[in-house]
Amino acid sequence: MTSKSSLTCEALLTKASTRIDSDSPRLDAELLLSHITGLSRTSFRAWPEREVTDAHAETFEALVQERVAGRPVAHLLGQQEFWSLPLKVSASTLIPRPDTECLVEVALDLPLPPQARVLDLGTGSGAIALALASEHPEWQITACDAVADAVALARDNADALGLTVSVVKSSWFSELTSGRFDLIVSNPPYIPDNDHHLTEGDVRFEPASALVSGSDGLDDIRLIADQAPAWLVEGGWLLVEHGFDQAEAVAGLFHARGFKDVETRQDYGNRDRMTLGRWCSGAEVIDPAFNRGDADAQ
Ligand code: GLN
């Protein structure tokens, strides 16, 4: 038998909102209470006086305490919505960010063949690959990640959503078998290793391998730009997410590697957030530092 507490949804939410120190305390509290009670967030507005059982109130309090200690809401719910897809998340991957949906939009706008071959490098939860698969089930999408738990999670998400993505374990291109892609997308790690943001907010609970990339944050983007041409078809696209202040550096790397039609696009906050370029094999390599080496043979 469940006893009723005298606590209403509104009382719980108001109290929790004052304790949670985040950009969106009320939203965080509503998501947690909705998760526990199965009640929708709109119902909290429509029926603020609805009472919550003692058991639910206790579970809510435990989650609020964890949130107050900084744990990301996505980890407490075990889930994060991305491109309207409910994705399972875990501590082994980056929590998908709304801004990465802008990268999906840019990818969907590219002139690609009907059965485009697409590669998502460092897929994490599978967010980008699965969003693209949900829009274009006919595309042949491969997603890779260096972390075994991420590979398992991305496969789980694909199965749960009934979407077809081939998920393979590979650190960037290293373990991929030969093939060429019409589009390579990536949200790689791009935060400089001494960046003060790493001590604030959700990133404290996310793996460094998904966030940090050398002293200027560009180690992985450098490697991707350098190696991608060997994996792109003639006229294929490379599209990467990066930090708001890295657009010039990333565009410089793309140009130096010989990419054409290099462009930077913005996120929801109108910050420079991603850069794309097109590979044409006849393109001149401007910077001799970028030798394609053996990769050319593939
Ligand atoms: N956009 C994320 C953040 O700043 C970082 C994502 C990444 O490194 N790929 O919190």
Side-chain angles (χ1 to χ4, degrees):
M1 195 178 111
T2 358
S3 65
K4 286 269 182 176
S5 78
S6 57
L7 284 171
T8 64
C9 289
E10 184 52 36
L12 284 173
L13 290 169
T14 307
K15 193 161 157 248
S17 307
T18 60
R19 292 163 62 205
I20 296 171
D21 179 23
S22 80
D23 292 342
S24 52
R26 172 80 192 197
L27 173 64
D28 294 1
E30 287 185 7
L31 287 169
L32 295 176
L33 192 59
S34 168
H35 176 68
I36 290 161
T37 59
L39 300 169
S40 70
R41 285 181 48 225
T42 25
S43 82
F44 300 144
R45 317 245 155 178
W47 299 286
E49 301 311 319
R50 192 178 209 149
E51 291 192 344
V52 174
T53 65
D54 283 345
H56 282 162
E58 269 169 41
T59 316
F60 179 66
E61 173 57 24
L63 290 188
V64 169
Q65 278 182 23
E66 293 215 55
R67 184 66 190 124
V68 169
R71 265 192 84 191
V73 175
H75 285 174
L76 296 172
L77 305 182
Q79 168 173 319
Q80 171 74 36
E81 195 170 287
F82 181 82
W83 202 259
S84 298
L85 304 171
L87 297 180
K88 285 182 224 168
V89 296
S90 79
S92 54
T93 71
L94 192 77
I95 299 164
R97 308 283 203 273
D99 284 322
T100 303
E101 293 181 350
C102 299
L103 183 113
V104 172
E105 277 172 27
V106 171
L108 292 172
D109 274 350
L110 290 172
L112 293 169
Q115 298 192 331
R117 288 153 298 176
V118 179
L119 172 64
D120 176 15
L121 287 171
T123 196
S125 62
I128 298 171
L130 293 168
L132 295 176
S134 74
E135 296 295 327
H136 284 289
E138 71 286 5
W139 283 4
Q140 299 163 47
I141 304 178
T142 302
C144 72
D145 204 287
V147 177
D149 284 350
V151 171
L153 183 69
R155 282 189 186 142
D156 247 25
N157 278 325
D159 288 349
L161 295 166
L163 295 170
T164 307
V165 167
S166 161
V167 189
V168 294
K169 186 173 175 308
S170 175
S171 173
W172 307 128
F173 301 97
S174 65
E175 286 145 78
L176 298 182
T177 50
S178 60
R180 296 264 177 183
F181 297 93
D182 300 290
L183 166 66
I184 297 175
V185 281
S186 186
N187 175 15
Y190 53 71
I191 301 181
D193 53 20
N194 61 356
D195 193 296
H196 68 92
H197 290 109
L198 292 167
T199 58
E200 298 162 8
D202 286 3
V203 292
R204 290 170 298 165
F205 296 82
E206 294 173 294
S209 63
L211 296 167
V212 180
S213 187
S215 58
D216 62 357
L218 292 172
D219 282 3
D220 290 292
I221 293 180
R222 246 182 236 109
L223 181 149
I224 291 169
D226 188 29
Q227 297 187 5
W231 298 89
L232 284 168
V233 298
E234 178 72 14
W237 297 89
L238 173 63
L239 168 63
V240 299
E241 181 173 318
H242 52 68
F244 68 92
D245 53 358
Q246 294 172 330
E248 212 178 307
V250 174
L253 287 170
F254 278 34
H255 280 300
R257 185 62 182 90
F259 281 91
K260 298 292 180 198
D261 302 332
V262 176
E263 271 181 62
T264 291
R265 301 285 177 82
Q266 288 69 39
D267 64 15
Y268 289 127
N270 210 29
R271 293 164 297 227
D272 288 345
R273 180 63 65 192
M274 69 211 99
T275 292
L276 67 159
R278 190 164 211 192
W279 181 252
C280 303
S281 59
E284 208 183 313
V285 179
I286 298 164
D287 184 344
F290 287 92
N291 279 326
R292 293 173 74 190
D294 293 346
D296 263 350
Q298 294 184 45

Coordinates of all heavy atoms in Angstrom, one line a residue, residues 11 19 24-25 62 68 73 83 104 107 119 121-122 145 152 178 215 228 243 255 281 283 296:
A11 N 5.0 22.0 -4.8 CA 5.9 22.3 -3.6 C 7.2 21.6 -3.8 O 8.3 22.2 -3.5 CB 5.2 21.7 -2.3
R19 N 17.3 24.7 -4.9 CA 18.6 24.0 -4.4 C 19.5 23.7 -5.6 O 20.7 23.6 -5.4 CB 18.2 22.8 -3.7 CG 17.5 23.0 -2.4 CD 16.8 21.8 -1.8 NE 17.7 20.7 -1.6 CZ 17.3 19.4 -1.6 NH1 16.1 19.1 -1.9 NH2 18.2 18.4 -1.4
S24 N 19.3 25.7 -15.7 CA 17.9 25.5 -15.8 C 17.3 24.7 -14.7 O 16.9 23.5 -14.8 CB 17.6 24.7 -17.1 OG 18.5 23.6 -17.2
P25 N 17.4 25.2 -13.4 CA 17.0 24.5 -12.2 C 15.5 23.9 -12.3 O 15.3 22.8 -11.9 CB 17.2 25.4 -11.1 CG 17.4 26.8 -11.7 CD 17.8 26.6 -13.1
A62 N 16.3 11.9 -3.6 CA 17.6 11.3 -3.8 C 18.2 11.8 -5.1 O 19.4 12.1 -5.2 CB 17.5 9.8 -3.8
V68 N 22.1 18.3 -7.3 CA 22.8 19.4 -6.5 C 24.3 19.2 -6.5 O 25.1 20.1 -6.6 CB 22.2 19.5 -5.1 CG1 23.0 20.4 -4.2 CG2 20.7 20.0 -5.1
V73 N 21.7 15.8 -15.6 CA 20.3 15.2 -15.6 C 20.3 14.0 -16.5 O 19.6 13.0 -16.2 CB 19.3 16.3 -16.2 CG1 17.9 15.7 -16.3 CG2 19.3 17.5 -15.2
W83 N 17.6 15.1 -31.6 CA 16.8 15.0 -32.9 C 15.5 14.3 -32.7 O 15.1 13.4 -33.5 CB 17.7 14.3 -34.0 CG 17.3 14.6 -35.4 CD1 16.6 13.8 -36.2 CD2 17.6 15.8 -36.1 NE1 16.4 14.4 -37.4 CE2 17.0 15.6 -37.4 CE3 18.3 17.0 -35.8 CZ2 17.1 16.6 -38.4 CZ3 18.4 17.9 -36.8 CH2 17.8 17.7 -38.1
V104 N 23.8 18.0 -37.8 CA 22.9 17.1 -38.5 C 22.1 17.9 -39.6 O 22.0 17.4 -40.8 CB 21.9 16.4 -37.5 CG1 20.8 15.6 -38.3 CG2 22.6 15.6 -36.5
A107 N 24.4 18.5 -42.5 CA 24.7 17.2 -43.2 C 23.5 16.9 -44.1 O 23.7 16.5 -45.3 CB 24.9 16.1 -42.3
L119 N 30.1 8.2 -42.8 CA 30.8 7.7 -41.7 C 30.8 8.7 -40.6 O 31.0 9.9 -40.8 CB 32.3 7.6 -42.1 CG 33.3 7.2 -41.0 CD1 33.0 5.9 -40.4 CD2 34.8 7.2 -41.6
L121 N 32.5 9.6 -37.2 CA 33.7 9.3 -36.4 C 33.6 9.7 -35.0 O 33.3 10.8 -34.7 CB 34.9 10.1 -37.0 CG 35.5 9.7 -38.4 CD1 36.5 10.8 -38.8 CD2 36.2 8.3 -38.3
G122 N 33.8 8.7 -34.1 CA 33.7 9.0 -32.6 C 32.2 9.2 -32.3 O 31.8 10.3 -31.7
D145 N 33.7 4.2 -32.9 CA 34.2 4.8 -31.7 C 35.4 4.0 -31.1 O 35.4 2.7 -31.3 CB 33.1 4.9 -30.6 CG 33.4 6.0 -29.6 OD1 34.2 5.8 -28.8 OD2 32.7 7.1 -29.7
A152 N 29.0 -0.4 -27.7 CA 27.9 -1.2 -27.3 C 26.7 -0.3 -27.1 O 25.5 -0.6 -27.4 CB 28.3 -1.8 -25.9
S178 N 38.8 -1.1 -45.8 CA 38.8 -0.1 -46.9 C 37.4 0.3 -47.3 O 36.4 -0.4 -47.2 CB 39.6 -0.7 -48.1 OG 38.9 -1.8 -48.5
S215 N 46.8 20.6 -26.4 CA 46.9 21.9 -25.8 C 46.0 23.0 -26.5 O 45.6 23.9 -25.8 CB 48.4 22.3 -25.7 OG 48.9 22.3 -27.1
A228 N 41.2 12.1 -43.6 CA 39.9 11.9 -44.2 C 39.9 11.8 -45.8 O 39.2 11.0 -46.3 CB 39.0 13.1 -43.9
G243 N 35.1 24.0 -31.4 CA 34.8 25.1 -30.4 C 34.5 26.4 -31.1 O 34.9 26.7 -32.3
H255 N 41.9 24.0 -45.5 CA 42.5 24.6 -46.7 C 43.8 24.0 -47.0 O 44.2 23.6 -48.1 CB 42.6 26.1 -46.6 CG 41.3 26.8 -46.8 ND1 40.6 26.8 -48.1 CD2 40.5 27.7 -46.0 CE1 39.5 27.5 -48.0 NE2 39.4 28.1 -46.8
S281 N 40.1 15.3 -55.7 CA 41.5 14.7 -55.7 C 42.4 15.5 -56.5 O 43.6 15.5 -56.2 CB 41.4 13.3 -56.2 OG 40.9 13.3 -57.5
A283 N 42.7 18.6 -56.2 CA 43.0 19.8 -55.4 C 44.4 19.8 -55.0 O 45.0 18.8 -54.6 CB 42.1 19.8 -54.1
D296 N 47.3 7.5 -49.0 CA 46.9 7.8 -50.4 C 46.5 6.5 -51.2 O 45.8 6.6 -52.1 CB 48.1 8.5 -51.1 CG 47.9 10.0 -51.1 OD1 46.8 10.4 -50.7 OD2 48.8 10.7 -51.5

